[in-house]
Each structure stands twice: as C-alpha cells, then as structure tokens.
Coordinates of all heavy atoms in Angstrom, one line a residue:
M1 N 141.6 101.4 102.9 CA 142.7 101.8 103.7 C 143.9 101.0 103.2 O 143.7 99.9 102.9 CB 142.4 101.7 105.1 CG 143.5 101.9 106.2 SD 143.0 102.2 107.8 CE 142.0 103.7 107.6
R2 N 145.1 101.6 103.2 CA 146.3 101.0 102.8 C 147.1 100.4 104.1 O 147.3 101.2 104.9 CB 147.2 101.9 102.1 CG 146.5 102.5 100.8 CD 146.4 101.5 99.7 NE 147.8 101.1 99.4 CZ 148.0 100.1 98.4 NH1 147.0 99.7 97.7 NH2 149.2 99.7 98.1
L3 N 147.3 99.1 104.1 CA 148.2 98.4 105.0 C 149.4 98.0 104.3 O 149.5 97.7 103.2 CB 147.4 97.3 105.6 CG 146.1 97.8 106.3 CD1 145.3 96.6 106.9 CD2 146.1 98.8 107.4
N4 N 150.4 97.6 105.2 CA 151.6 97.1 104.6 C 151.4 95.5 104.5 O 151.4 94.9 105.6 CB 152.8 97.4 105.6 CG 154.2 97.1 105.0 OD1 154.2 96.0 104.3 ND2 155.2 97.7 105.3
P5 N 151.3 95.0 103.4 CA 151.1 93.6 103.2 C 152.2 92.7 103.7 O 152.1 91.7 104.4 CB 151.0 93.5 101.6 CG 151.2 94.7 101.1 CD 151.4 95.7 102.2
K6 N 153.5 93.2 103.8 CA 154.6 92.6 104.3 C 154.5 92.5 105.8 O 154.8 91.4 106.4 CB 155.9 93.2 103.8 CG 156.2 93.1 102.5 CD 157.6 93.9 102.1 CE 157.8 93.8 100.6 NZ 159.0 94.5 100.3
T7 N 154.1 93.6 106.5 CA 153.8 93.5 107.9 C 152.8 92.5 108.4 O 153.1 91.6 109.2 CB 153.4 94.8 108.4 OG1 154.5 95.8 108.1 CG2 153.3 95.0 109.9
I8 N 151.6 92.5 107.6 CA 150.6 91.5 108.0 C 151.2 90.0 107.9 O 151.0 89.3 108.6 CB 149.4 91.8 106.9 CG1 149.0 93.1 106.9 CG2 148.3 90.6 107.3 CD1 148.4 93.6 108.3
K9 N 151.8 89.9 106.6 CA 152.3 88.5 106.5 C 153.3 88.2 107.6 O 153.3 87.0 108.0 CB 152.9 88.4 105.0 CG 153.3 87.0 104.7 CD 153.8 86.8 103.3 CE 154.2 85.4 102.9 NZ 154.5 84.4 103.9
Q10 N 154.3 89.0 107.8 CA 155.3 88.7 108.8 C 154.7 88.5 110.1 O 155.0 87.4 110.8 CB 156.3 89.9 109.0 CG 157.4 89.6 110.0 CD 158.3 88.5 109.5 OE1 158.8 88.4 108.4 NE2 158.5 87.5 110.5
L11 N 153.6 89.2 110.6 CA 152.9 88.8 111.9 C 152.2 87.6 111.9 O 152.3 86.9 112.9 CB 151.9 90.0 112.1 CG 152.6 91.4 112.5 CD1 151.4 92.5 112.5 CD2 153.1 91.4 113.9
R12 N 151.7 87.2 110.7 CA 151.0 85.8 110.6 C 152.1 84.8 110.7 O 151.9 83.8 111.4 CB 150.2 85.8 109.4 CG 149.6 84.5 109.0 CD 148.7 84.5 107.8 NE 149.5 84.6 106.6 CZ 150.1 83.8 106.0 NH1 150.3 82.5 106.5 NH2 150.7 84.0 104.8
D13 N 153.2 84.9 110.0 CA 154.3 83.9 110.0 C 154.8 83.8 111.4 O 155.1 82.5 111.7 CB 155.4 84.3 108.9 CG 154.9 84.1 107.5 OD1 153.9 83.4 107.3 OD2 155.5 84.6 106.6
D14 N 154.9 85.0 112.1 CA 155.5 84.8 113.5 C 154.8 83.9 114.5 O 155.2 83.4 115.3 CB 155.6 86.1 114.1 CG 156.7 87.1 113.4 OD1 157.5 86.6 112.6 OD2 156.7 88.3 113.6
K15 N 153.4 83.9 114.1 CA 152.5 83.1 114.8 C 152.3 81.6 114.3 O 151.5 80.7 114.8 CB 151.1 83.7 115.0 CG 151.0 85.0 115.9 CD 149.7 85.5 115.9 CE 149.7 86.7 116.9 NZ 149.9 86.3 118.3
N16 N 153.0 81.3 113.1 CA 152.9 80.1 112.5 C 151.6 79.8 112.0 O 151.0 78.6 112.2 CB 153.5 79.0 113.3 CG 155.1 79.0 113.4 OD1 155.6 79.5 112.4 ND2 155.5 78.7 114.5
W17 N 150.7 80.8 111.7 CA 149.2 80.7 111.3 C 149.3 80.6 109.7 O 150.0 81.2 109.0 CB 148.5 81.8 111.8 CG 148.1 81.8 113.1 CD1 148.5 80.9 114.1 CD2 147.5 82.9 113.9 NE1 148.0 81.3 115.3 CE2 147.4 82.4 115.2 CE3 147.0 84.1 113.5 CZ2 146.8 83.2 116.2 CZ3 146.4 85.0 114.4 CH2 146.3 84.6 115.8
T18 N 148.3 79.8 109.2 CA 147.9 79.8 107.8 C 147.1 81.1 107.6 O 146.6 81.7 108.5 CB 147.2 78.6 107.4 OG1 145.9 78.6 108.1 CG2 148.0 77.4 107.6
Q19 N 146.8 81.3 106.4 CA 145.9 82.5 106.1 C 144.5 82.2 106.6 O 143.8 83.1 107.1 CB 145.9 82.7 104.5 CG 147.1 83.5 104.1 CD 147.1 83.7 102.5 OE1 146.5 82.9 101.8 NE2 147.7 84.8 102.1
Q20 N 144.1 80.9 106.6 CA 142.8 80.4 107.0 C 142.7 80.6 108.5 O 141.6 81.0 109.0 CB 142.5 79.2 106.5 CG 141.2 78.6 107.0 CD 140.1 79.3 106.3 OE1 140.0 79.5 105.0 NE2 139.2 80.1 107.1
S21 N 143.8 80.3 109.1 CA 143.9 80.5 110.7 C 143.5 81.9 111.0 O 142.9 82.2 112.0 CB 145.1 80.0 111.3 OG 145.4 78.6 111.0
L22 N 144.3 82.9 110.3 CA 144.2 84.3 110.7 C 142.9 84.7 110.3 O 142.1 85.5 111.1 CB 145.2 85.1 109.8 CG 145.2 86.6 109.9 CD1 145.4 87.0 111.4 CD2 146.2 87.2 109.0
A23 N 142.3 84.2 109.1 CA 140.9 84.7 108.8 C 139.9 84.1 110.0 O 139.0 85.0 110.3 CB 140.5 84.0 107.5
D24 N 140.1 83.0 110.3 CA 139.2 82.6 111.4 C 139.3 83.3 112.7 O 138.3 83.6 113.3 CB 139.5 81.0 111.7 CG 139.0 80.1 110.7 OD1 138.4 80.6 109.7 OD2 139.5 78.9 110.5
A25 N 140.6 83.6 113.1 CA 140.8 84.4 114.2 C 140.3 85.9 114.2 O 139.8 86.3 115.3 CB 142.3 84.5 114.6
C26 N 140.2 86.3 113.0 CA 139.7 87.7 112.7 C 138.2 87.8 112.5 O 137.6 89.0 112.6 CB 140.4 88.4 111.7 SG 142.1 88.7 112.0
G27 N 137.7 86.6 112.1 CA 136.3 86.5 111.8 C 136.1 87.2 110.4 O 135.0 87.8 110.0
L28 N 137.1 86.9 109.6 CA 137.1 87.4 108.2 C 137.1 86.3 107.2 O 137.4 85.1 107.6 CB 138.4 88.3 107.9 CG 138.5 89.6 108.9 CD1 139.8 90.2 108.7 CD2 137.4 90.6 108.6
S29 N 136.9 86.4 106.0 CA 137.1 85.5 104.9 C 138.5 85.3 104.5 O 139.4 86.2 104.6 CB 136.2 85.8 103.6 OG 136.8 86.8 103.0
L30 N 138.8 84.1 104.0 CA 140.1 83.8 103.5 C 140.5 84.6 102.4 O 141.7 85.2 102.3 CB 140.2 82.3 103.1 CG 141.5 81.9 102.2 CD1 142.7 82.1 103.3 CD2 141.4 80.5 101.9
R31 N 139.5 85.1 101.6 CA 139.8 85.9 100.5 C 140.1 87.3 100.8 O 141.0 87.9 100.3 CB 138.5 86.0 99.6 CG 138.6 87.0 98.4 CD 139.7 86.4 97.4 NE 140.0 87.5 96.5 CZ 141.2 88.1 96.4 NH1 142.2 87.8 97.0 NH2 141.4 89.1 95.4
T32 N 139.6 87.7 102.1 CA 139.9 89.1 102.6 C 141.4 89.1 102.9 O 142.2 89.9 102.7 CB 139.1 89.5 103.8 OG1 137.8 89.6 103.3 CG2 139.5 90.7 104.4
I33 N 141.9 88.1 103.8 CA 143.2 88.0 104.1 C 144.2 87.9 102.9 O 145.2 88.6 102.9 CB 143.4 86.7 105.0 CG1 142.6 87.0 106.3 CG2 145.0 86.6 105.5 CD1 142.9 88.1 107.3
Q34 N 143.8 87.1 102.0 CA 144.7 87.0 100.7 C 144.8 88.3 100.1 O 145.8 88.7 99.6 CB 144.0 86.1 99.6 CG 144.0 84.6 100.3 CD 143.3 83.5 99.3 OE1 142.3 84.1 98.7 NE2 143.6 82.4 99.4
R35 N 143.7 89.1 100.0 CA 143.8 90.5 99.4 C 144.7 91.4 100.1 O 145.4 92.2 99.7 CB 142.4 91.1 99.2 CG 142.3 92.3 98.4 CD 141.0 93.0 98.2 NE 140.3 93.1 99.5 CZ 139.2 92.4 100.0 NH1 138.7 91.5 99.4 NH2 138.7 92.7 101.3
V36 N 144.5 91.4 101.4 CA 145.3 92.2 102.4 C 146.8 91.9 102.2 O 147.6 92.8 102.0 CB 144.9 92.2 103.9 CG1 145.8 92.8 104.8 CG2 143.5 92.8 104.1
E37 N 147.1 90.6 102.2 CA 148.4 90.2 102.0 C 149.0 90.6 100.6 O 150.3 90.6 100.5 CB 148.8 88.8 102.5 CG 148.6 88.6 103.9 CD 149.1 87.2 104.4 OE1 149.6 86.4 103.6 OE2 149.0 87.0 105.6
K38 N 148.2 90.5 99.6 CA 148.7 90.7 98.3 C 148.8 92.3 97.9 O 149.8 92.7 97.4 CB 147.9 90.0 97.3 CG 148.3 90.2 96.0 CD 147.5 89.4 94.9 CE 148.0 89.5 93.5 NZ 147.2 89.0 92.6
E39 N 147.6 92.9 98.2 CA 147.5 94.4 97.8 C 147.7 95.4 99.0 O 147.8 96.5 98.7 CB 146.2 94.4 97.1 CG 145.9 93.6 95.9 CD 144.5 93.4 95.4 OE1 143.7 94.4 95.9 OE2 144.1 92.6 94.7
G40 N 147.4 95.0 100.1 CA 147.4 95.9 101.3 C 146.3 96.8 101.4 O 146.2 97.8 102.1
V41 N 145.1 96.3 100.7 CA 143.9 97.1 100.8 C 142.9 96.4 101.8 O 142.7 95.1 101.8 CB 143.2 97.0 99.3 CG1 141.9 97.8 99.5 CG2 144.1 97.7 98.3
A42 N 142.5 97.2 102.7 CA 141.6 96.8 103.8 C 140.6 97.8 104.2 O 140.9 99.0 104.1 CB 142.4 96.2 104.9
S43 N 139.4 97.5 104.7 CA 138.5 98.2 105.3 C 138.9 98.6 106.7 O 139.9 98.0 107.2 CB 137.1 97.7 105.4 OG 137.1 96.5 106.3
R44 N 138.3 99.7 107.2 CA 138.6 100.0 108.6 C 138.3 98.9 109.5 O 139.0 98.5 110.5 CB 137.9 101.2 109.0 CG 138.2 101.8 110.5 CD 137.8 103.1 110.7 NE 138.0 103.6 111.9 CZ 139.2 103.9 112.4 NH1 140.2 103.9 111.6 NH2 139.4 104.3 113.7
E45 N 137.2 98.1 109.3 CA 136.9 97.1 110.3 C 137.9 95.8 110.2 O 138.2 95.3 111.1 CB 135.4 96.5 109.8 CG 134.4 97.4 110.0 CD 134.2 98.6 109.0 OE1 134.9 98.5 107.8 OE2 133.6 99.6 109.5
T46 N 138.4 95.6 108.9 CA 139.4 94.5 108.7 C 140.6 95.0 109.4 O 141.3 94.2 110.2 CB 139.7 94.3 107.2 OG1 138.4 93.7 106.5 CG2 140.8 93.3 107.0
M47 N 141.0 96.3 109.3 CA 142.2 96.6 110.1 C 142.0 96.6 111.5 O 143.0 96.1 112.2 CB 142.5 98.1 109.7 CG 143.8 98.6 110.3 SD 144.2 100.4 110.1 CE 142.8 101.1 111.0
M48 N 140.9 96.9 112.0 CA 140.6 96.9 113.5 C 140.8 95.3 114.0 O 141.3 95.2 115.0 CB 139.3 97.4 113.8 CG 139.2 98.8 113.4 SD 140.0 100.0 114.5 CE 138.8 100.2 115.9
S49 N 140.2 94.4 113.1 CA 140.2 93.0 113.5 C 141.6 92.5 113.5 O 142.1 91.8 114.4 CB 139.4 92.1 112.5 OG 138.1 92.4 112.6
L50 N 142.4 92.9 112.5 CA 143.9 92.5 112.4 C 144.6 93.1 113.7 O 145.4 92.4 114.3 CB 144.5 93.1 111.2 CG 144.0 92.2 109.9 CD1 144.5 93.0 108.6 CD2 144.6 90.9 109.9
C51 N 144.4 94.3 114.1 CA 145.0 94.9 115.3 C 144.8 94.2 116.4 O 145.5 93.9 117.2 CB 144.6 96.5 115.3 SG 145.3 97.5 114.1
A52 N 143.4 93.8 116.6 CA 143.0 93.2 117.8 C 143.7 91.8 118.0 O 144.3 91.3 119.0 CB 141.5 93.1 117.9
V53 N 143.8 91.0 116.8 CA 144.3 89.6 116.8 C 145.7 89.7 117.1 O 146.3 88.9 117.8 CB 143.8 88.9 115.5 CG1 144.7 87.6 115.3 CG2 142.5 88.6 115.5
F54 N 146.4 90.7 116.3 CA 147.9 90.7 116.5 C 148.5 91.5 117.7 O 149.5 91.7 117.9 CB 148.4 91.4 115.3 CG 148.4 90.3 114.1 CD1 148.0 91.0 112.8 CD2 148.9 89.0 114.2 CE1 148.0 90.1 111.7 CE2 148.7 88.3 112.9 CZ 148.4 88.7 111.8
E55 N 147.5 92.2 118.3 CA 147.7 93.1 119.5 C 148.8 94.1 119.2 O 149.7 94.4 119.8 CB 148.1 92.2 120.7 CG 147.1 91.2 121.1 CD 147.5 90.2 122.3 OE1 148.8 90.2 122.5 OE2 146.7 89.7 122.9
V56 N 148.4 94.9 118.1 CA 149.2 96.1 117.7 C 148.4 97.1 117.4 O 147.3 97.2 117.3 CB 150.1 95.7 116.4 CG1 151.0 94.4 116.6 CG2 149.1 95.4 115.2
K57 N 149.0 98.4 117.4 CA 148.3 99.6 117.1 C 148.1 99.8 115.6 O 149.0 99.2 114.8 CB 149.1 100.8 117.5 CG 149.3 100.9 119.1 CD 150.0 102.1 119.5 CE 150.1 102.1 121.1 NZ 150.8 103.3 121.5
Q58 N 147.1 100.5 115.3 CA 146.9 100.7 113.7 C 148.0 101.1 113.0 O 148.4 100.9 111.9 CB 145.7 101.7 113.8 CG 144.4 101.1 114.2 CD 143.2 102.1 114.3 OE1 143.3 103.2 113.6 NE2 142.1 101.9 115.0
S59 N 148.8 102.2 113.7 CA 149.9 102.9 113.0 C 150.8 101.8 112.7 O 151.7 102.0 111.7 CB 150.5 103.8 113.8 OG 151.0 103.4 115.0
Y60 N 151.0 100.6 113.2 CA 152.0 99.6 112.9 C 151.7 98.8 111.6 O 152.6 98.4 110.9 CB 152.0 98.5 114.2 CG 153.1 97.6 113.9 CD1 154.4 97.9 114.1 CD2 152.9 96.3 113.5 CE1 155.5 97.0 114.0 CE2 154.0 95.3 113.4 CZ 155.2 95.7 113.6 OH 156.1 94.9 113.6
L61 N 150.4 98.9 111.3 CA 150.0 98.1 110.0 C 149.9 99.1 108.8 O 149.8 98.5 107.7 CB 148.5 97.6 110.3 CG 148.5 96.5 111.4 CD1 147.0 96.0 111.5 CD2 149.5 95.4 111.2
I62 N 149.7 100.4 109.1 CA 149.7 101.4 108.0 C 151.0 101.4 107.2 O 152.0 101.6 107.9 CB 149.2 102.8 108.5 CG1 147.7 102.6 109.1 CG2 149.2 103.8 107.4 CD1 147.3 104.0 109.8
N63 N 150.9 101.5 105.9 CA 152.0 101.6 105.0 C 152.1 103.0 104.6 O 151.4 103.4 103.7 CB 151.9 100.6 103.9 CG 153.2 100.6 103.1 OD1 154.1 101.4 103.3 ND2 153.2 99.7 102.1
L64 N 153.0 103.8 105.4 CA 153.1 105.2 105.1 C 153.6 105.6 103.6 O 153.3 106.6 103.0 CB 153.8 106.0 106.1 CG 153.2 106.0 107.5 CD1 154.3 106.8 108.4 CD2 151.9 106.6 107.5
D65 N 154.4 104.6 103.1 CA 155.0 104.8 101.8 C 154.1 104.7 100.7 O 154.2 105.3 99.6 CB 156.2 103.9 101.7 CG 157.3 104.0 102.6 OD1 157.4 105.2 103.2 OD2 157.9 103.0 102.9
D66 N 153.0 104.0 100.9 CA 152.0 103.9 99.8 C 150.6 104.7 100.0 O 149.7 104.4 99.3 CB 151.5 102.3 99.7 CG 152.7 101.6 99.2 OD1 153.6 102.1 98.6 OD2 152.6 100.3 99.3
I67 N 150.6 105.7 100.9 CA 149.4 106.4 101.1 C 149.3 107.3 99.9 O 150.2 107.9 99.4 CB 149.5 107.5 102.3 CG1 149.6 106.5 103.5 CG2 148.4 108.4 102.3 CD1 149.7 107.3 105.0
E68 N 147.9 107.2 99.4 CA 147.7 107.9 98.1 C 148.0 109.5 98.3 O 147.6 110.1 99.3 CB 146.2 107.8 97.9 CG 145.8 107.9 96.4 CD 144.3 107.5 96.3 OE1 143.9 106.3 96.4 OE2 143.6 108.4 95.8
E69 N 148.7 109.9 97.3 CA 149.0 111.4 97.4 C 148.0 112.2 96.9 O 147.4 112.0 95.8 CB 150.3 111.6 96.7 CG 151.5 111.0 97.3 CD 152.9 111.2 96.6 OE1 153.0 112.2 95.8 OE2 153.9 110.8 97.0
T70 N 147.6 113.3 97.6 CA 146.7 114.3 97.2 C 147.5 115.7 97.3 O 148.1 116.0 98.2 CB 145.6 114.4 98.1 OG1 145.0 113.0 98.1 CG2 144.4 115.3 97.6
N71 N 147.3 116.6 96.3 CA 147.9 117.8 96.2 C 149.4 117.6 96.3 O 150.0 118.1 97.3 CB 147.4 118.7 97.4 CG 145.9 119.1 97.2 OD1 145.5 119.2 96.0 ND2 145.3 119.3 98.2
G72 N 150.0 117.0 95.5 CA 151.4 116.7 95.5 C 151.7 115.8 96.6 O 151.2 114.7 96.5
N73 N 152.6 116.1 97.5 CA 153.0 115.2 98.6 C 152.2 115.6 99.9 O 152.7 115.0 100.9 CB 154.5 115.5 98.7 CG 155.3 114.2 98.7 OD1 154.7 113.2 98.5 ND2 156.6 114.4 98.9
Q74 N 151.4 116.5 99.9 CA 150.8 116.9 101.2 C 150.1 116.0 102.1 O 150.3 115.8 103.3 CB 149.7 118.1 100.8 CG 149.4 118.9 101.9 CD 150.6 119.7 102.6 OE1 151.4 120.2 101.9 NE2 150.6 119.6 103.9
T75 N 149.3 115.1 101.5 CA 148.7 113.9 102.3 C 149.7 113.1 103.0 O 149.6 112.8 104.2 CB 147.8 113.0 101.4 OG1 146.8 113.8 100.8 CG2 147.1 111.9 102.2
T76 N 150.7 112.6 102.2 CA 151.8 111.8 102.8 C 152.5 112.5 103.9 O 152.8 112.1 105.1 CB 152.9 111.4 101.7 OG1 152.1 110.7 100.9 CG2 153.8 110.5 102.4
V77 N 152.8 113.8 103.7 CA 153.6 114.7 104.7 C 152.6 114.7 105.8 O 153.0 114.6 107.1 CB 154.0 115.9 104.1 CG1 154.4 116.9 105.2 CG2 155.0 115.7 103.1
N78 N 151.4 115.1 105.6 CA 150.4 115.4 106.9 C 150.3 114.1 107.7 O 150.2 114.2 108.8 CB 149.1 115.8 106.2 CG 149.1 117.2 105.9 OD1 150.0 118.0 106.3 ND2 148.1 117.6 105.1
M79 N 150.2 112.8 107.1 CA 150.0 111.7 107.7 C 151.4 111.3 108.5 O 151.1 110.9 109.6 CB 149.8 110.5 106.6 CG 149.5 109.1 107.5 SD 148.1 109.1 108.5 CE 146.7 108.9 107.5
K80 N 152.4 111.5 108.0 CA 153.7 111.2 108.7 C 153.8 112.2 109.7 O 154.2 111.7 111.0 CB 154.9 111.3 107.8 CG 155.0 110.2 106.9 CD 156.2 110.2 105.9 CE 156.3 109.1 104.9 NZ 157.4 109.1 104.0
L81 N 153.5 113.4 109.7 CA 153.6 114.5 110.7 C 152.5 114.2 111.8 O 152.9 114.1 113.1 CB 153.2 115.8 110.2 CG 153.4 117.0 111.1 CD1 154.8 117.0 111.7 CD2 153.1 118.4 110.6
H82 N 151.4 113.7 111.5 CA 150.4 113.3 112.4 C 150.9 112.2 113.3 O 150.7 112.2 114.6 CB 149.1 113.1 111.7 CG 148.0 112.6 112.7 ND1 147.4 113.5 113.4 CD2 147.4 111.4 112.8 CE1 146.3 112.8 114.2 NE2 146.3 111.5 113.7
L83 N 151.4 111.1 112.6 CA 151.9 110.0 113.4 C 153.0 110.2 114.3 O 153.1 109.8 115.5 CB 152.2 108.8 112.4 CG 150.9 108.2 111.8 CD1 151.5 107.1 110.7 CD2 150.0 107.6 112.8
M84 N 153.9 111.1 113.9 CA 155.0 111.7 114.6 C 154.6 112.4 115.8 O 155.0 112.1 117.0 CB 156.0 112.4 113.8 CG 156.8 111.5 112.8 SD 157.9 112.5 111.8 CE 158.1 114.2 112.3
M85 N 153.5 113.2 115.7 CA 153.1 114.0 116.7 C 152.4 113.1 117.8 O 152.5 113.3 119.0 CB 152.1 115.1 116.3 CG 152.8 116.1 115.4 SD 151.7 117.3 114.6 CE 150.8 117.9 115.9
L86 N 151.6 112.1 117.3 CA 150.9 111.1 118.1 C 152.0 110.4 119.0 O 151.9 110.2 120.2 CB 150.1 110.1 117.5 CG 148.8 110.6 116.8 CD1 148.1 109.5 116.1 CD2 147.9 111.1 118.1
G87 N 153.1 109.9 118.4 CA 154.2 109.2 119.1 C 154.9 110.2 120.2 O 155.1 109.6 121.2
A88 N 155.1 111.4 119.8 CA 155.8 112.4 120.7 C 154.8 112.5 121.8 O 155.3 112.8 123.1 CB 156.0 113.7 119.9
A89 N 153.4 112.8 121.6 CA 152.6 113.1 122.6 C 152.4 111.9 123.5 O 152.4 112.0 124.8 CB 151.2 113.4 122.1
A90 N 152.5 110.6 123.0 CA 152.6 109.5 123.9 C 153.8 109.4 124.8 O 153.7 109.0 125.9 CB 152.4 108.2 123.1
L91 N 154.9 109.6 124.1 CA 156.2 109.6 125.0 C 156.1 110.8 125.9 O 156.5 110.5 127.0 CB 157.3 109.9 123.9 CG 158.8 109.8 124.5 CD1 159.0 108.5 125.3 CD2 159.8 110.3 123.7
F92 N 155.7 111.9 125.6 CA 155.7 113.0 126.5 C 154.8 112.7 127.6 O 155.1 112.9 128.8 CB 155.3 114.4 125.8 CG 155.3 115.5 126.7 CD1 156.5 116.1 127.1 CD2 154.2 116.1 127.2 CE1 156.4 117.2 128.0 CE2 154.1 117.1 127.9 CZ 155.2 117.7 128.5
G93 N 153.6 112.1 127.3 CA 152.6 111.9 128.3 C 153.1 110.9 129.3 O 152.9 110.9 130.4
G94 N 153.9 109.9 128.7 CA 154.5 108.9 129.6 C 155.5 109.3 130.5 O 155.6 109.1 131.7
L95 N 156.3 110.3 130.0 CA 157.3 111.0 130.8 C 156.8 111.8 131.9 O 157.1 111.8 133.0 CB 158.4 111.9 130.0 CG 159.2 111.0 128.9 CD1 160.0 112.0 128.0 CD2 160.1 110.2 129.8
V96 N 155.7 112.6 131.5 CA 155.1 113.5 132.5 C 154.5 112.6 133.5 O 154.5 112.9 134.8 CB 154.0 114.4 131.9 CG1 153.1 115.1 132.7 CG2 154.7 115.5 130.9
G97 N 153.7 111.6 133.1 CA 153.1 110.7 134.1 C 154.2 110.0 135.1 O 153.8 109.9 136.2
A98 N 155.2 109.6 134.5 CA 156.3 109.1 135.4 C 156.9 110.1 136.3 O 157.1 109.8 137.4 CB 157.5 108.5 134.5
G99 N 157.0 111.3 135.7 CA 157.4 112.6 136.7 C 156.6 112.7 137.8 O 156.9 113.0 138.9
I100 N 155.3 112.8 137.5 CA 154.3 113.0 138.6 C 154.3 111.9 139.6 O 154.2 112.1 140.8 CB 152.8 113.2 137.9 CG1 152.8 114.5 137.0 CG2 151.7 113.1 139.0 CD1 151.5 114.8 136.3
L101 N 154.3 110.7 139.0 CA 154.3 109.5 139.9 C 155.6 109.5 140.8 O 155.5 109.2 142.1 CB 154.3 108.2 139.1 CG 154.4 106.9 139.9 CD1 153.0 106.8 140.6 CD2 154.4 105.8 138.9
Y102 N 156.8 109.9 140.3 CA 157.9 110.0 141.0 C 157.8 111.2 142.0 O 158.2 110.8 143.4 CB 159.0 110.4 140.1 CG 160.3 110.6 140.8 CD1 161.2 109.5 141.3 CD2 160.9 111.8 141.1 CE1 162.3 109.8 142.0 CE2 162.1 112.1 141.8 CZ 162.8 111.1 142.2 OH 163.9 111.2 142.9
L103 N 157.1 112.1 141.8 CA 156.9 113.2 142.8 C 156.0 112.7 143.8 O 156.3 113.0 145.0 CB 156.4 114.5 142.2 CG 157.4 115.2 141.2 CD1 156.6 116.3 140.6 CD2 158.6 115.8 142.1
L104 N 155.0 112.0 143.5 CA 154.0 111.5 144.6 C 154.6 110.4 145.5 O 154.3 110.3 146.7 CB 152.8 111.0 143.7 CG 151.8 111.9 143.1 CD1 150.8 111.2 142.3 CD2 151.2 112.9 144.1
I105 N 155.4 109.6 144.8 CA 156.0 108.4 145.6 C 157.3 108.9 146.3 O 157.5 108.6 147.5 CB 156.4 107.4 144.6 CG1 155.1 106.8 144.1 CG2 157.1 106.3 145.3 CD1 155.3 105.7 143.1
G106 N 158.1 109.8 145.7 CA 159.3 110.1 146.2 C 159.1 111.2 147.4 O 159.4 111.2 148.4

C-alpha cells in the first residue's frame, strides 16, 4: 500500500518522536518506519498501526498522487472518486443526523 511519507514524518515530528519511538508505539520495527518514511510503502497492518497511534483515518495517510495507475488513469480516478464519495456520505450523514436530532429536541 502507498502512504504519503511526508505525512508520516510530519505526524511523527509533531509528537517530537524519534523513528524508534514511533516503531515502539506501533509495535513495528525501526526498519519498517524508516522504509515507510523513505518510500511510502507499507502493509495494511502497518498502516492500521500508524492510524491507531496517530489517531487519524486511513485516507489521511494514503498518498493519492502516487497510486499505481492501471488502465491509464482509471485507478487514480476511481480512488479519488471513492474517497470523495466517502467524505460526502460522512458529511451528509452528519447533516442528516443533526437534522433528525434537531427535530427530536426542537
């Protein structure tokens, strides 16, 4: 899986952690953290550990600009569309939920 190495490093720096500190917090090896910060390559399990430790969603760590292209631009377009739709659904769900709550309380 492709992650944004700059995002990972920035999140780590924001916590003033060394790469070893992040590795320990995630239960990963130092080499894994080094590889993720250099190349942006991570397994799903590594990504999930990073998300849990940094308390961010998976989409925040994914580097959409570097997603491997298949059939021209289709994979990139599909991934961006999928994430946009998830965001819109979350926003819409929040608005609908807030509207229902307003109706129930009001």
